[in-house]
Amino acid sequence: MTSVAAEPWFRDKALQRVLALLNADGGEGRVVGGAVRNSLMGLPVADIDIATSLLPETVVERAAVAGIKAVPTGIAHGTVTLVIDGTPFEITTLRRDVETDGRRAIVAFSEDWQADAERRDLTINALYASADGSVVDLVDGLADLERRNIRFIGDAATRIAEDYLRILRFFRFFAHYGNGRPDADGLRACAAARSKIATLSAERVWSEMKKLLSAGDPGRALLWMRQVGVLTEVLPETEKWGIDAIPALIATEQALDWVADPLLRLAAIVPPDAGRLAKLAERLRLSKAEAGHMQAWASAPAIKDDISEAAFDRLLYRHDPIGVTVRLKLALAVARGKAEGDFEEMARSARLGKLLERASKWKKPAFPLRGSDALAAGVTAGPRVGELLGKLEQEWLEGNFTDDRAKLLARLKDLASA
């Protein structure tokens, strides 16, 4: 029998306390979803979700008696979060769908574990672990897990029609856990329903895409999304730009031990066009920081690998280092992709690598003068203050930031009296 009983996360005293609470007096609670899936795949376990036959009000009552903090995070939908020693456990009452419209569902509470499993999206996400650690599989998820097959529960089109976000979840889970070719039925159903992605909230769509782009290697998932038209629905900017840069980028990330960055992967598959990226950010409701990150990349200039250190420092001063770094990383990935057997590209890669290292350590120097210095030098308040300071800053910049405050003040006085 498949079991997770020996896993450290399952033996955790806080979790065992929660399971004991739920399994007393005729109730039942089982760990469900990601914790079971990841444990069986030998992957780290993060959040632990629990399904229960108890009504949410009963969970709250039992927690109160046991002295456990209960937070009604989604009690109307059957979810209560129990917190023990700072660790949250999300407890959700078994449910069955009463009505769905592709975006949200009206549910009824249930005591039927089979019905609860069958309303979930993918077979590998519907595995339960009982109080003794034994794994309960009601939808043939273990076989799919062993094959790394990402498959919808039951009829794929029906599952998708219940929530169209499942189209993106299918590809997201394929990116993280899948192997080989995606499930044919799932692929066809996603292709057929792809236009329905437009009915979803932008926040949900971007959240799924960001998770997909955070996978170790999202390349195969992006390829299949493109082939069935799903990628164009979400990121029409990729239609002419393509995703060909992804394999070299992933290879570079792995070789240089870069942390997976969804925004860097996004930059690799969309054009560096500030106007189009502004529309993308608005359409997908990117955060202000995320939108700024993409704009910094779009506004950064192309960088010659043989640029001098002094000229590169000036470039970093004029442009957002974040955007310069993205430019360098993408250029380095391209060069490394061409470098095998090509000594020129190997040398180019080495030079780009040094620039990237320099950019990571660079600290922007502060221009020593302020507007008050110009006024003190006798410059009348107005546009001339900015003109003179701009001229001096440019001279300071061209001198590689070497002129000190005293020298710049002397130069300011000369300009003010001219």
Side-chain angles (χ1 to χ4, degrees):
M1 177 181 292
T2 305
S3 175
V4 296
E7 298 294 330
W9 66 267
F10 190 80
R11 298 200 308 267
D12 178 74
K13 291 181 179 179
L15 174 60
Q16 287 300 313
R17 186 178 174 191
V18 171
L19 291 176
L21 179 81
L22 299 175
N23 283 277
D25 301 323
E28 186 173 8
R30 300 173 181 173
V31 179
V32 64
V36 182
R37 178 197 66 230
N38 282 21
S39 186
L40 295 177
M41 298 183 77
L43 300 173
V45 170
D47 299 333
I48 298 176
D49 297 327
I50 301 172
T52 182
S53 60
L54 300 175
L55 292 173
E57 294 81 3
T58 305
V59 174
V60 172
E61 291 170 0
R62 291 193 179 193
V65 173
I68 297 174
K69 180 181 179 181
V71 182
T73 45
I75 196 165
H77 301 286
T79 301
V80 177
T81 300
L82 301 187
V83 183
I84 299 179
D85 297 330
T87 301
F89 298 92
E90 193 171 273
I91 319 298
T92 301
T93 300
L94 302 182
R95 296 176 293 183
R96 59 179 176 82
D97 291 333
V98 174
E99 182 180 336
T100 61
D101 64 2
R103 291 179 298 170
R104 62 186 67 84
I106 298 175
V107 300
F109 298 142
S110 168
E111 294 184 358
D112 187 338
W113 289 94
Q114 186 72 42
D116 184 78
E118 291 176 354
R119 71 174 296 276
R120 297 177 183 271
D121 55 1
L122 303 168
T123 59
I124 65 170
N125 293 336
L127 297 171
Y128 303 88
S130 297
D132 63 359
S134 58
V135 173
V136 179
D137 178 12
L138 304 173
V139 291
D140 295 327
L142 287 173
D144 287 326
L145 198 66
E146 184 176 352
R147 296 194 304 269
R148 288 182 172 262
N149 181 43
I150 308 304
R151 182 171 63 86
F152 285 107
I153 296 169
D155 179 65
T158 301
R159 293 288 79 74
I160 289 173
E162 291 165 351
D163 184 352
Y164 293 115
L165 190 69
R166 289 174 172 175
I167 297 172
L168 299 182
R169 284 175 61 83
F170 176 76
F171 291 105
R172 191 247 288 189
F173 279 90
F174 180 75
H176 282 272
Y177 307 110
N179 190 25
R181 179 189 173 96
D183 176 72
D185 290 339
L187 207 59
R188 282 192 294 268
C190 288
R194 63 185 183 275
S195 64
K196 298 296 186 178
I197 294 173
T199 67
L200 300 170
S201 73
E203 291 82 0
R204 295 182 78 201
V205 171
W206 172 234
S207 176
E208 280 299 317
M209 281 303 300
K210 188 157 59 171
K211 291 173 183 176
L212 187 156
L213 290 170
S214 298
D217 183 355
R220 292 179 304 116
L222 291 171
L223 177 62
W224 284 107
M225 289 175 72
R226 185 180 185 188
Q227 289 193 359
V228 299
V230 170
L231 189 60
T232 300
E233 291 290 333
V234 181
L235 292 171
E237 296 81 4
T238 66
E239 184 62 22
K240 293 184 178 180
W241 193 253
I243 60 173
D244 295 343
I246 284 292
L249 175 58
I250 300 303
T252 299
E253 289 177 350
Q254 295 172 350
L256 302 182
D257 200 27
W258 291 351
V259 175
D261 180 354
L263 291 179
L264 179 62
R265 275 98 176 264
L266 179 62
I269 62 176
V270 297
D273 181 299
R276 295 185 71 183
L277 290 179
K279 292 179 181 178
L280 181 154
E282 182 178 359
R283 187 181 74 249
L284 292 181
R285 300 290 191 271
L286 269 63
S287 70
K288 185 176 181 180
E290 291 168 341
H293 186 109
M294 298 301 291
Q295 285 296 325
W297 163 62
S299 62
I303 303 164
K304 294 183 178 180
D305 57 279
D306 60 354
I307 188 173
S308 68
E309 290 184 349
F312 185 60
D313 287 348
R314 293 194 293 271
L315 185 147
L316 286 168
Y317 184 84
R318 292 189 183 104
H319 300 276
D320 191 328
I322 291 176
V324 173
T325 297
V326 173
R327 284 276 184 179
L328 286 172
K329 286 187 171 182
L330 294 178
L332 178 56
V334 171
R336 284 178 58 88
K338 299 177 180 178
E340 186 175 354
D342 188 325
F343 292 107
E344 184 176 336
E345 289 296 341
M346 290 173 64
R348 173 174 160 78
S349 296
R351 291 192 293 269
L352 287 169
K354 289 181 179 179
L355 291 176
L356 188 58
E357 183 179 2
R358 188 174 185 85
S360 69
K361 298 176 180 178
W362 191 78
K363 302 294 183 183
K364 185 175 183 177
F367 180 54
L369 300 184
R370 298 181 179 179
S372 58
D373 295 317
L375 297 177
V379 181
T380 303
R384 184 160 169 73
V385 171
E387 292 172 5
L388 291 181
L389 290 180
K391 179 178 177 60
L392 287 171
E393 184 178 21
Q394 183 61 29
E395 291 180 2
W396 172 72
L397 186 61
E398 293 299 330
N400 298 322
F401 319 103
T402 56
D403 291 348
D404 60 16
R405 177 174 168 79
K407 187 172 183 178
L408 288 168
L409 282 173
R411 177 72 174 132
L412 176 60
K413 290 178 182 178
D414 289 342
L415 290 174
S417 61

